[in-house]
Structures are given as C-alpha cells and as structure tokens.
Amino acid sequence: MIRKFDLYIARTLMLSMGVVLLCIVVLMCLFGFIDEAGDGSGEQSFLAIILTVLMDIPLQLSEVVPYVVFLGSVVGFGSLCASSEVTVLQTSGVSHWRLCVSVGLAAMVFLAAMTFVTEYVGPFTSRIAQDQERGEEVAGPRGGYWYREGQVFTRIRGIDENDSLRGVQQFEFDQQGNLFRATEATSGTPIRAAFAWELEDVNETLFDARSQSTSISAARTWNLTSDFPSFSSRLTQEPDDLSAGDLWNHIAYLKEQSLDSGQFEITFWSRLSTPLSVLGLVLIAVGFVLGPLRETGMGTRITAGIGAGIVFGYLQQTLAPLALLYNVPPFLAVLIPVSLMWVTGLVLVRRLS
C-alpha cells in the first residue's frame, strides 16, 4: 500500500534526480559541443552544432540513468536524513527495508519516464541529428555500408533521410564461394508496403567458368528478409544508439546470418537489466545514507555517490570486452555486475538492523 510518506519521499527524491539529471545533461551538452566543433569541417553553423548536440542527448541518457537515480537517491534521501524526517519515520515503526521500498518506488517512476525518452524519443531525435549533420550529403563512411543476406553481399554508398539508397553494389556467391553475379545500381527507392527497394539504372553481370555476360535494366526489386523499418538505423548507427526493439531485430538478423552478435547482445541485455541495476543501486544508496554517511555533509555524500557510480561503471565496461574475448554468454557478463550491486546493497542494509 502506498502511503503518504511514500509520496513525500518520492517527490523529494524525484526532485533530486531531476537536478542531478540537469547537471549531467549540461555537462554532456558541453562535451558534445566541444567534440562536434573540434571534429567539424567548419561548414556547420553554431546553431546547427547546438541542435545536433541537443538531438543526440535523449538517446545518450540510457547510459547514465542508473547513476542519475543513484546519485539523486543519495542526495535526496540524505537531505531527508539531515532534517531528521527519516528518523521520525523510523521511530514510528518504519523499517529500513520499508524505506528501501519507498526509495525504489520513486526510482522506478523516474526510470519509467527516462525509458520512454530513450526508447521512443531518442531514436527519433538521433535520426534528425544525423540528417542535420549530413544535410544534402548522403555518403556513408569510407567504403560505404556493408550488409549481408545469405550469399549476397551488398555495399551501399549512402542512405539519405528518406531511406533512399545511393550507389548500390551487390555481389552474389555460390556455395563454393565463387562469384557468379554482380549487380550495380545508381539508387534505390524504398517500397515500404513490400519491405523492399526498387533499384534504378541496374547493371547486372553474370559470371561462369568460361565467360561473362552483362545486361542493363531500368529497375529491379530488392526484397529485404530482415526487419525493414529499422534497416537504416541498424546499418548506420552504433549499438548504443539503437533502441531495444532495433537491437532485438538486428540480433535476430545477425544470428540468422551466422554473424557475431556479441556487442549487440551485451547492449540489449544491459538495457533489459537497467531496472535491476537501479534497484540494486537504491539498496546501496539507502545503506550508504543510513550507515556510514548518516552524519556526513552533502559534499561527502555526493563525492561518495560519484565514486561508487564510477566503480560500478568501470566494472561493467571491463566485463563487456572480457565476455566477448572469452566467449562468456552476454547475459552473464551483464548480470555479474548487477549481482554485485545487489549483494553490496543487501549487506549494507542488513548491517543497519
């Protein structure tokens, strides 16, 4: 049952989390602006750089939300302790574990709001940022984007904001690994209802053991077997920039093609385990504030919170590449640091009894 003190604690903690989030967003904008201005060619205006940085922020929040919740909980719950409000609740019979539930409720509400932003708003604004950065230029990275379906390897020079393809080359191999068809098209227009592209100005060359033949056609349809709506984002963006749905679709495609999906699986499981990470950090926050940090000032609490967040952050970043190196299941590499958070939090809260 949610009681009045739950609502009061939730309001106080969410205000603290909001302030922490604002501070982190300001820092992210500052560093993002420096990075964009330093890497730019000088063609983008000051306003264009600012808009690009701001549009990238919603998707980047998925990496910092657990630590925003943790630091906000330390600051907010610490202020309640400093004003003796937590002492009053404990005197009236509210246990340490019940206080953890109150803080956890606030954390879950805040996390739900941030999840909506990162999963639905973030991919949309990130795509706008890419289009803003790219402008009329549709060229991809040097060498273009590569995509594989079975024995067909496709190279795409660029993708514009309407998902139209530019400079498409396809190489089809037989079961023995011999090239028997090469296709080149100047562009491809998406046919969304059919989950396909209409390739235009197609030049097709067939190879056999003795000769080769070339044919030219105005158009040809390229049907996609993987998820069509997320194709452009999966091809052009890094794993951290994809929504959970796009990650799931891309993992299914990579497994179907017997390609390495380790990095995408780690990112996907990290997203799914975020609620567990947040609750584990909530236990640590309550254990810190009611234990060793009870009589300390706000500066000490903030320093301790930042230090603990950095430790767990580095632990997660270290285990991910080790998991890929030693073929550890991705979900296990994600759950190990989460389990350590829970064990640490449970020990801290249990020592308060």
Side-chain angles (χ1 to χ4, degrees):
M1 181 183 297
I2 299 178
R3 300 182 180 180
K4 289 184 178 180
F5 71 81
D6 288 320
L7 297 176
Y8 180 73
I9 291 176
R11 184 170 65 247
T12 303
L13 265 60
M14 290 183 70
L15 179 61
S16 299
M17 293 172 193
V19 172
V20 172
L21 178 63
L22 180 61
C23 295
I24 290 180
V25 167
V26 170
L27 289 175
M28 291 171 68
C29 288
L30 178 61
F31 291 133
F33 177 79
I34 294 173
D35 185 58
E36 287 288 333
D39 292 342
S41 59
E43 298 178 356
Q44 282 187 298
S45 65
F46 177 81
L47 181 59
I49 293 177
I50 291 293
L51 289 176
T52 299
V53 171
L54 290 178
M55 290 298 178
D56 277 334
I57 292 297
L59 202 55
Q60 296 174 12
L61 291 179
S62 60
E63 302 176 16
V64 300
V65 165
Y67 308 106
V68 169
V69 172
F70 175 61
L71 192 54
S73 298
V74 170
V75 173
F77 200 62
S79 66
L80 292 176
C81 284
S83 60
S84 301
E85 291 171 283
V86 172
T87 303
V88 172
L89 288 174
Q90 290 178 307
T91 304
S92 62
V94 179
S95 67
H96 300 132
W97 298 107
R98 185 61 181 82
L99 289 172
C100 290
V101 172
S102 300
V103 178
L105 288 173
M108 288 297 101
V109 172
F110 186 84
L111 176 62
M114 289 296 98
T115 300
F116 175 80
V117 172
T118 57
E119 292 298 319
Y120 296 99
V121 179
F124 175 73
T125 57
S126 179
R127 188 64 185 273
I128 294 176
Q130 282 192 336
D131 295 339
Q132 174 71 31
E133 233 177 12
R134 185 167 48 195
E136 296 298 324
E137 177 62 42
V138 297
R142 185 175 182 180
Y145 302 109
W146 284 92
Y147 179 78
R148 171 188 173 184
E149 282 192 356
Q151 296 298 105
V152 180
F153 295 79
T154 303
R155 176 183 177 270
I156 303 170
R157 183 175 66 83
I159 305 176
D160 67 16
E161 65 274 10
N162 298 316
D163 291 336
S164 295
L165 311 180
R166 296 290 183 271
V168 181
Q169 293 177 307
Q170 291 185 326
F171 307 92
E172 189 170 353
F173 296 81
D174 59 22
Q175 296 300 323
Q176 287 72 41
N178 299 316
L179 176 67
F180 74 89
R181 179 185 288 118
T183 304
E184 186 172 358
T186 57
S187 62
T189 303
I191 310 174
R192 302 185 189 281
F195 290 174
W197 277 273
E198 183 178 16
L199 303 181
E200 300 161 354
D201 298 328
V202 180
N203 189 323
E204 182 179 86
T205 303
L206 296 175
F207 302 90
D208 59 30
R210 299 180 179 178
S211 63
Q212 68 182 47
S213 60
T214 301
S215 62
I216 299 175
S217 58
R220 171 184 160 185
T221 301
W222 175 33
N223 295 294
L224 196 71
T225 60
S226 68
D227 184 68
F228 181 87
S230 65
F231 175 81
S232 297
S233 58
R234 291 188 289 116
L235 202 65
T236 60
Q237 296 181 351
E238 296 296 323
D240 290 338
D241 296 333
L242 296 174
S243 66
D246 289 347
L247 282 170
W248 176 258
N249 291 328
H250 198 57
I251 290 170
Y253 152 73
L254 290 173
K255 288 186 174 181
E256 182 181 353
Q257 301 299 323
S258 301
L259 300 173
D260 180 28
S261 62
Q263 186 60 56
F264 291 89
E265 288 190 69
I266 286 178
T267 305
F268 176 74
W269 285 109
S270 297
R271 297 279 181 85
L272 287 190
S273 66
T274 298
L276 292 177
S277 300
V278 166
L279 291 176
L281 290 171
V282 162
L283 289 174
I284 296 175
V286 174
F288 271 1
V289 173
L290 295 182
L293 301 181
R294 188 180 186 95
E295 303 298 332
T296 61
M298 187 62 67
T300 304
R301 293 193 185 108
I302 293 176
T303 302
I306 293 175
I310 290 174
V311 169
F312 285 112
Y314 275 119
L315 180 62
Q316 288 180 312
Q317 293 176 7
T318 302
L319 284 177
L322 287 177
L324 296 177
L325 181 62
Y326 294 105
N327 294 321
V328 176
F331 74 90
L332 188 59
V334 171
L335 288 179
I336 288 175
V338 174
S339 300
L340 290 177
M341 292 180 193
W342 273 82
V343 170
T344 304
L346 290 172
V347 169
L348 288 172
V349 177
R350 188 177 179 83
R351 291 181 62 182
L352 300 175
S353 303

